[in-house]
Amino acid sequence: MTADEECGERRGRLDGRRVLLVVAGGIAAYKAAELVRKLRGEGAEVRVAATAGALRFVGVATFQALSGHRVRHDLWDEEAEAAMGHIELARWAEIVVAAPASAHLLARFAHGLADDLPTTLVLASEAPLLLVPAMNRVMWLHPATQANVAHLRARGVTVLEPDVGEQACGEHGPGRLPEPALIVERVQALLAPGPGERFSADLLAGRRVVVSAGPTREPLDEVRYIGNRSSGRMGYAVATAALRAGAEVVVVSGPVGLPPPEGVRVRRVETALEMREAVLDEVRAADVFMAVAAVADYRPARRAAGKPAKTAGGLRLELVPNPDIVAEVAALDPRPFVVGFAAEADDLEAHCRNKLERKGLDMIAGNLVGPGRGFDVEDNTLHVFWAGGEVRLGPGAKTALARDLVALVARRLAERRRR
Ligand code: C5P
């Protein structure tokens, strides 16, 4: 029993966290009432926004009594807007949960419609979005719904798989709302770390951390190379955060235009093979390896001497695969705590979970890349996965994300040692 509990103050897993619950029109809407109760039971503050359809299944009074707040359902409700405008409410939310999410709601979210209050709130919010679909099995399996779900997941939205079983319509199949307890667990996992879980100056005291950062350059000849757009910002931010957390830090850095973080030892390399050698050398005595570098997957099979002149015809390059450095470190025995990074264009969770397993990592931090996202920008969002959990960090500055990530690594490392 904690001191707080002895004093009679129960601490919930979601103490003080701000959850905006969107309820759509489906028979499972009645289970949303139980979800509100459970979220509040864990200490969360809950505000409910209901679609017109939802209120045909469950009355305003129910959600109001359970949440302790007025239920929002009308974009044009002057009184409610005067108390807390819809943009303010969207900003207030630390997470938006839609449960049940109907086929129609999924379609509207997928296409960015904002034709009622709940859809407007979702579009105006930067908080993580957790969708919990529940509907008739044929509607769920319909290619239109499945395409909308795939589209939403590709955008980084978390969409839970519905449970399989007896449905209210008498059919059997996928489409039931998952248990509210499980939804509460996912809410907890998706929320950024709370004040009690954040960074402090002694989190990694006495630990040695190796970080790989930046791109690699794979030479074609003595002048030209194949490279990528990694700026090294995330890797340098991670190294700085680890240093501030009390660790001794080595960065194995590809060519970047950033000043080396003060207090961090930097080993400069160019190619993936050089990076591999330096990393393997440094991790022997390390507690943590964080592979933030964007290592080139291939290198030219041959490196020409000098600078061969341009010829009239085309040029055929033969490329050979580079070693996977992070997978090699993860296969060492003994080995440090290994964190991989992944930049993906779609379905972040599936790709990250696959790499976590395939490369034998302890943790992986994924981010979606595309126009204006991920590379060469200051702000980012990280979705972090490990065997038994996940958390979303950001959106925020790479420096802030790096500190949250380092705090997370320190916690997982401490847990691993306790086992
Ligand atoms: O497979 P993918 O390149 O997406 O994996 C990304 C992760 O693997 C990053 O942590 C990156 O630093 C690491 N990696 C590596 N060696 C490679 C390729 C990627 O360490 N050759």
Side-chain angles (χ1 to χ4, degrees):
M1 190 182 275
T2 66
D4 281 339
E5 281 167 339
E6 275 171 26
C7 298
E9 184 194 331
R10 184 185 169 279
R11 296 194 82 78
R13 290 180 295 166
L14 295 171
D15 258 352
R17 307 312 294 263
R18 303 183 302 273
V19 181
L20 174 61
L21 178 65
V22 169
V23 185
I27 180 59
Y30 79 92
K31 291 189 186 165
E34 174 66 8
L35 180 58
V36 177
R37 218 182 55 80
K38 281 213 150 49
L39 288 167
R40 292 208 63 199
E42 290 296 342
E45 202 181 324
V46 184
R47 290 180 186 254
V48 177
T51 66
L55 297 180
R56 295 201 164 235
F57 287 97
V58 184
V60 164
T62 304
F63 289 126
Q64 189 159 312
L66 291 171
S67 70
H69 293 285
R70 257 185 91 154
V71 176
R72 300 294 301 269
H73 54 91
D74 185 359
L75 197 48
W76 307 107
D77 180 339
E78 281 171 27
E79 209 180 301
E81 280 291 311
M84 191 194 251
H86 61 276
I87 300 291
E88 211 181 320
L89 181 56
R91 280 200 204 114
W92 169 89
E94 289 181 273
I95 184 167
V96 181
V97 184
S102 62
H104 185 52
L105 194 72
L106 293 176
R108 290 192 293 155
F109 286 163
H111 295 278
L113 299 190
D115 56 352
D116 65 356
L117 183 74
T119 48
T120 305
L121 287 170
V122 164
L123 217 52
S125 171
E126 287 187 314
L129 178 59
L130 171 64
L131 303 181
V132 195
M135 66 197 73
N136 164 271
R137 73 178 174 92
V138 182
M139 292 175 82
W140 170 249
L141 294 172
H142 194 286
T145 306
Q146 290 300 309
N148 288 331
V149 168
H151 188 67
L152 286 158
R153 282 183 176 150
R155 278 204 328 241
V157 174
T158 303
V159 186
L160 295 194
E161 284 297 312
D163 279 355
V164 178
E166 286 305 319
Q167 301 205 288
C169 49
E171 298 192 16
H172 184 95
R176 286 168 56 91
L177 193 82
E179 284 308 313
L182 189 132
I183 302 172
V184 171
E185 264 174 42
R186 294 297 292 245
V187 169
Q188 193 198 359
L190 286 169
L191 277 168
E197 307 167 319
R198 287 221 182 104
F199 189 84
S200 70
D202 57 352
L203 278 175
L204 287 174
R207 304 263 198 241
R208 248 183 82 106
V209 176
V210 177
V211 180
S212 73
T216 64
R217 281 182 185 172
E218 310 299 326
L220 292 158
D221 54 38
E222 282 167 26
V223 177
R224 307 175 181 102
Y225 60 84
I226 297 176
N228 63 63
R229 288 177 49 195
S230 167
S231 65
R233 279 198 201 119
M234 193 68 215
Y236 279 42
V238 165
T240 306
L243 184 81
R244 303 260 182 276
E248 184 192 330
V249 184
V250 181
V251 178
V252 179
S253 174
V256 296
L258 298 172
E262 207 172 315
V264 166
R265 185 156 63 84
V266 180
R267 280 187 69 162
R268 298 198 178 279
V269 295
E270 283 225 346
T271 66
L273 292 182
E274 287 167 10
M275 183 171 276
R276 171 181 178 271
E277 208 181 304
V279 166
L280 289 180
D281 181 34
E282 294 293 344
V283 292
R284 275 179 300 149
D287 300 286
V288 178
F289 173 50
M290 299 178 77
V292 198
V295 184
D297 291 323
Y298 301 94
R299 66 179 182 278
R302 279 167 296 280
R303 175 184 189 156
K307 180 178 179 253
K310 177 166 59 178
T311 53
L315 177 67
R316 274 190 181 277
L317 289 178
E318 190 192 336
L319 301 175
V320 293
N322 272 327
D324 192 314
I325 303 168
V326 76
E328 257 186 77
V329 174
L332 295 174
D333 184 18
R335 63 172 214 170
F337 187 91
V338 182
V339 184
F341 275 68
E344 306 290 347
D346 61 16
D347 209 345
L348 198 58
E349 173 155 12
H351 290 301
C352 284
R353 293 253 177 233
N354 180 293
K355 282 180 191 175
L356 188 71
E357 179 91 24
R358 183 161 47 82
K359 299 189 186 218
L361 311 175
D362 294 298
M363 186 183 272
I364 189 160
N367 68 295
L368 283 171
V369 288
R373 272 201 306 214
F375 279 129
D376 231 358
V377 290
E378 283 292 345
D379 274 24
N380 208 349
T381 300
L382 290 180
H383 201 140
V384 188
F385 302 91
W386 58 95
E390 65 182 299
V391 71
R392 204 183 94 142
L393 307 177
K398 287 181 180 173
T399 47
L401 296 178
R403 288 163 81 94
D404 284 346
L405 182 65
V406 160
L408 194 62
V409 168
R411 258 200 334 273
R412 302 285 315 153
L413 185 65
E415 272 168 28
R416 194 171 82 163
R417 293 198 175 213
R418 248 182 266 128
R419 268 188 264 135

